[in-house]
Amino acid sequence: MSNSAVAKRYAQALFELAQQKNILAEVGADLNELTKIVKESPDFLTLLNAPKFSIGRKKQMVAEIFAGATPEVLHTVQLLVEKKRVNEVKLIANAYAELAAKAQGTADATVFSTRALSAEESANISTTFAKLVGKQSLNITNEIDPSLLGGIRVQIGNHIYDSSVANKLERLKRELIG
């Protein structure tokens, strides 16, 4: 079984549990913190994979480090330690985020623009493009790209909506040259 399939199963189980208890956002926030810890200190995973410590000791360390986390996330991480699948944490968090976003009618979008967007502009883009992709709202990440010359390019999953000046000029060039 591939790593992503394993991660999806764990994420699905955690998602269903969080949905039953109506704590989707809390579990999502805890998983984000967990991935941040893993990203900022890779030694954490090395420690949890080290054969020097017993599984009981590793689970105890996890309980101490994540004392403020929801019990569901804490037990999931402890289960991952026990099953020697702690390296799956990032993939599980990503799969969970996708499931939660789908259930809540949201999606992630990256908006490329020549300058930082105001809160009002972000809200308008979110409302407009959410309708296009059949979602209630979009979680917008703004990235500055001076090569656009003007306008915006919006990426939602595999879909790209490009209304940048650079793209319009390129289309005009292709039409004129043939």
Side-chain angles (χ1 to χ4, degrees), residues 17-93:
L17 184 62
Q19 199 171 32
Q20 285 175 359
K21 295 186 176 189
N22 202 23
I23 55 171
L24 285 174
E26 294 88 342
V27 170
D30 286 348
L31 286 174
N32 285 340
E33 283 299 314
L34 178 60
T35 54
K36 197 182 301 179
I37 289 170
V38 168
K39 193 179 288 182
E40 290 173 2
S41 53
D43 294 339
F44 176 68
L45 285 181
T46 306
L47 177 72
L48 292 179
N49 284 319
K52 183 177 183 179
F53 299 105
S54 69
I55 289 177
R57 177 66 182 128
K58 291 176 190 176
K59 289 168 82 172
Q60 182 184 358
M61 286 188 286
V62 167
E64 291 169 5
I65 294 170
F66 298 106
T70 58
E72 293 76 17
V73 171
L74 177 62
H75 294 306
T76 300
V77 175
Q78 288 178 329
L79 181 63
L80 292 172
V81 167
E82 187 177 315
K83 299 291 183 183
K84 297 181 176 151
R85 293 195 184 275
V86 78
N87 292 334
E88 303 286 328
V89 164
K90 288 182 197 175
L91 295 172
I92 292 170

Side-chain angles (χ1 to χ4, degrees), residues 35-169:
T35 54
K36 197 182 301 179
I37 289 170
V38 168
K39 193 179 288 182
E40 290 173 2
S41 53
D43 294 339
F44 176 68
L45 285 181
T46 306
L47 177 72
L48 292 179
N49 284 319
K52 183 177 183 179
F53 299 105
S54 69
I55 289 177
R57 177 66 182 128
K58 291 176 190 176
K59 289 168 82 172
Q60 182 184 358
M61 286 188 286
V62 167
E64 291 169 5
I65 294 170
F66 298 106
T70 58
E72 293 76 17
V73 171
L74 177 62
H75 294 306
T76 300
V77 175
Q78 288 178 329
L79 181 63
L80 292 172
V81 167
E82 187 177 315
K83 299 291 183 183
K84 297 181 176 151
R85 293 195 184 275
V86 78
N87 292 334
E88 303 286 328
V89 164
K90 288 182 197 175
L91 295 172
I92 292 170
N94 291 341
Y96 178 89
E98 287 176 17
L99 290 169
K102 189 174 182 181
Q104 295 168 340
T106 63
D108 291 330
T110 304
V111 178
F112 300 90
S113 60
T114 55
R115 60 173 176 76
L117 298 174
S118 69
E120 183 180 336
E121 290 169 328
S122 288
N124 289 339
I125 291 169
S126 173
T127 304
T128 303
F129 283 93
K131 290 176 187 172
L132 283 175
V133 294
K135 300 290 181 184
Q136 293 175 2
S137 67
L138 297 175
N139 303 320
I140 292 186
T141 304
N142 185 210
E143 291 192 18
I144 309 302
D145 184 358
S147 69
L148 296 178
L149 303 176
I152 62 170
R153 184 173 67 227
V154 180
Q155 181 174 352
I156 306 167
N158 293 334
H159 301 285
I160 296 176
Y161 302 93
D162 195 342
S163 66
S164 66
V165 173
N167 185 50
K168 289 177 182 177
L169 288 172

